[in-house]
Amino acid sequence: SAVISQKPSRDICQRGTSLTIQCQVDSQVTMMFWYRQQPGQSLTLIATANQGSEATYESGFVIDKFPISRPNLTFSTLTVSNMSPEDSSIYLCSAKWQGGGYTFGSGTRLTVV
Amino acid sequence: GNSVTQMEGPVTLSEEAFLTINCTYTATGYPSLFWYVQYPGEGLQLLLKATKADDKGSNKGFEATYRKETTSFHLEKGSVQVSDSAVYFCALSDPVGGGFKTIFGAGTRLFVKA
């Protein structure tokens, strides 16, 4: 299975600023995903990151707030823009690998103050 | 649409007790089913999976059988340990009906007492 390195693992940010989260996969994967896990909640899909094209966003999430890059088959970034305390969550990336499984990064715990 | 429903927690057990966490699903196609575990302060780890009806996924003493007739994928372990304390998520992926994204249940928190 693929292994994902995600960073930063945690950050405390001021409201109004932006944070970019990076995920590096140790092998080429066709599909990568970004999830949000709010405190005590399950995971909610933000978007599917497509290589060479714009990300596909789920209902309730927009590109201006969560811009995503996917420059190649092993790397993706998610930016949380113009942050407010409501954005405090764990953000996780995920990759679908050829064996049919999904691997997750270790998550980024974001606190907005 | 596709969805996953799992039993609410928290579940509190004594060490060596039998564990069952119920999970049922709805899907338009033929989904693959997963159990993920999240230990305190960590990301998700795949615990086990099953890709077709009657498959049994197993790992670290945990088991779950894909039951198409009851649309269920209950997680079981015969004897839990304190180190099993975590949040467990049931999930499905339905390439035909839902694309390749994974749909998660709400999660069930398990506490195991020594």
Side-chain angles (χ1 to χ4, degrees), chain B residues 70-94:
Chain B
T70 55
T71 61
S72 64
F73 192 55
H74 304 322
L75 182 69
E76 296 182 335
K77 186 174 186 182
S79 176
V80 293
Q81 306 299 313
V82 172
S83 57
D84 294 325
S85 297
V87 181
Y88 293 82
F89 293 93
C90 185
L92 73 80
S93 172
D94 178 10

Side-chain angles (χ1 to χ4, degrees), chain A residues 18-63:
Chain A
S18 298
L19 175 72
T20 295
I21 302 166
Q22 300 181 1
C23 276
Q24 178 75 53
V25 191
D26 69 346
S27 58
Q28 293 186 341
V29 293
T30 52
M31 307 190 78
M32 293 185 72
F33 308 87
W34 287 96
Y35 288 86
R36 180 174 72 184
Q37 186 182 21
Q38 293 178 300
Q41 306 280 323
S42 186
L43 282 78
T44 301
L45 181 66
I46 297 171
T48 302
N50 307 305
Q51 193 267 332
S53 64
E54 275 196 3
T56 304
Y57 288 82
E58 298 298 305
S59 175
F61 297 96
V62 294
I63 188 171

Side-chain angles (χ1 to χ4, degrees), chain B residues 24-101:
Chain B
T24 57
Y25 68 90
T26 58
T28 54
Y30 301 94
S32 296
L33 302 173
F34 308 86
W35 277 101
Y36 287 88
V37 58
Q38 186 176 36
Y39 297 104
E42 299 186 14
L44 265 69
Q45 300 176 27
L46 177 65
L47 182 60
L48 54 85
K49 69 174 184 177
T51 57
K52 62 183 187 298
D54 299 326
D55 268 1
K56 178 186 283 188
S58 61
N59 186 25
K60 299 181 182 178
F62 291 89
E63 292 183 341
T65 301
Y66 189 143
R67 300 283 187 204
K68 193 168 187 294
E69 63 276 14
T70 55
T71 61
S72 64
F73 192 55
H74 304 322
L75 182 69
E76 296 182 335
K77 186 174 186 182
S79 176
V80 293
Q81 306 299 313
V82 172
S83 57
D84 294 325
S85 297
V87 181
Y88 293 82
F89 293 93
C90 185
L92 73 80
S93 172
D94 178 10
V96 174
F100 289 97
K101 59 189 178 188

Side-chain angles (χ1 to χ4, degrees), chain A residues 6 8-12 19 21 35-44 46 61 66 78 80 83-92 107-113, chain B residues 38:
Chain A
Q6 181 173 345
S9 59
R10 57 180 64 233
D11 207 341
I12 300 173
L19 175 72
I21 302 166
Y35 288 86
R36 180 174 72 184
Q37 186 182 21
Q38 293 178 300
Q41 306 280 323
S42 186
L43 282 78
T44 301
I46 297 171
F61 297 96
F66 297 102
L78 169 77
V80 186
M83 288 183 284
S84 66
E86 292 70 35
D87 295 320
S88 298
S89 289
I90 297 174
Y91 292 85
L92 296 109
T108 297
R109 186 178 294 272
L110 171 62
T111 303
V112 183
V113 297
Chain B
Q38 186 176 36

